[in-house]
Amino acid sequence: DGGITQSPKYLFRKEGQNVTLSCEQNLNHDAMYWYRQDPGQGLRLIYYSQIVNDFQKGDIAEGYSVSREKKESFPLTVTSAQKNPTAFYLCASSLGTGGTSNNSPLHFGNGTRLTVT
Amino acid sequence: EDKVVQSPLSLVVHEGDTVTLNCSYEVTNFRSLLWYKQEKKAPTFLFMLTSSGIEKKSGRLSSILDKKELFSILNITATQTGDSAVYLCAVVFTGTASKLTFGTGTRLQVTL
């Protein structure tokens, strides 16, 4: 079955440590996205990539970095520069640019809950 | 600044009730509006709306868009406990690249 796999489901880190969240998709989608979800704030876009070896900052990119070396993979690194990293992180992908046709709504992974203490 | 506002923030209803969830937006260069249902983790796609006045329907759920007044509603009739979830609204605007701006979501709880 095609889908998006995020790992791990839960992640605990000490403050000051970098951590990388994995996102893999086998849907052959061109575009991939990282969102952060906090209570009462909905989903906020961190980074997105529309094609391999290219990515753009979203609305809250500070303290995060990404890479897109393969079409299937879009890992997110939460660096020590991110002031409030504890959150639920959702990865998504779409065939074209998400939300521009009925054939390309965003497909989401099951998320990674990161806790930094 | 592009903005998507959902109301109410949370709602508790009894099974069998009909509910209406609201999504309003202040977005330049509007392209489409999407509704998602999030039960535990991954949001799942419900509807995409691009044209005013055309209702999209799937079972007990329906949605409509008003591009003049800049809002959409999501209706759920004869609610069931399985409808309990967070309902997310997102708007696509065009710019250098199309991307989704999400609202804060409405948390719906359906009780017996």
Side-chain angles (χ1 to χ4, degrees):
Chain A
D1 282 340
I4 302 175
T5 302
Q6 289 187 244
S7 60
K9 289 182 182 178
Y10 300 95
L11 191 53
F12 297 88
R13 278 294 182 269
K14 295 285 188 186
E15 200 173 296
Q17 292 179 330
N18 290 356
V19 60
T20 297
L21 281 59
S22 169
C23 178
E24 303 277 332
Q25 54 99 359
N26 60 4
L27 299 165
N28 200 32
H29 283 174
D30 293 309
M32 296 187 75
Y33 309 78
W34 274 105
Y35 285 89
R36 170 180 171 142
Q37 188 172 32
D38 295 281
Q41 294 199 49
L43 274 67
R44 292 183 290 166
L45 182 63
I46 305 172
Y47 267 99
Y48 63 105
S49 167
Q50 295 180 295
I51 196 169
V52 174
N53 291 323
D54 188 41
F55 48 83
Q56 285 80 40
K57 292 182 180 180
D59 301 317
I60 54 164
E62 186 176 346
Y64 299 97
S65 66
V66 293
S67 63
R68 186 87 187 276
E69 296 176 4
K70 297 187 297 182
K71 189 175 185 178
E72 304 79 28
S73 178
F74 192 41
L76 173 74
T77 296
V78 185
T79 74
S80 57
Q82 168 49 235
K83 301 298 180 193
N84 296 297
T86 295
F88 186 55
Y89 291 88
L90 281 164
C91 178
S93 70
S94 64
L95 185 61
T97 306
T100 57
S101 79
N102 276 320
N103 295 324
S104 65
L106 288 188
H107 296 264
F108 286 89
N110 281 326
T112 292
R113 189 166 297 280
L114 173 65
T115 302
V116 176
T117 58
Chain B
E1 183 184 326
D2 299 311
K3 195 174 174 184
V4 179
V5 178
Q6 292 187 246
S7 63
L9 291 179
S10 66
L11 190 57
V12 181
V13 301
H14 293 294
E15 201 171 49
D17 287 351
T18 293
V19 297
T20 299
L21 309 183
N22 301 288
C23 176
S24 63
Y25 59 93
E26 299 172 13
V27 172
T28 54
N29 300 319
F30 172 88
R31 189 158 188 176
S32 58
L33 185 146
L34 292 85
W35 284 97
Y36 283 85
K37 176 183 181 183
Q38 185 179 25
E39 292 181 77
K40 290 271 170 73
K41 294 178 178 177
T44 53
F45 173 72
L46 294 175
F47 299 111
M48 188 174 82
L49 304 155
T50 54
S51 302
S52 270
I54 299 174
E55 185 183 53
K56 293 265 180 113
K57 199 169 170 63
S58 176
R60 295 176 295 102
L61 276 67
S62 63
S63 183
I64 198 162
L65 173 69
D66 186 327
K67 287 168 75 172
K68 183 181 176 186
E69 300 297 330
L70 307 183
F71 78 92
S72 172
I73 59 171
L74 175 68
N75 275 324
I76 308 175
T77 59
T79 52
Q80 302 170 358
T81 54
D83 295 326
S84 296
V86 174
Y87 290 84
L88 299 166
C89 170
V91 174
V92 181
F93 60 91
T94 56
T96 55
S98 296
K99 54 191 175 103
L100 276 71
T101 299
F102 280 84
T104 54
T106 292
R107 182 174 296 278
L108 173 66
Q109 184 179 351
V110 181
T111 62
L112 291 172

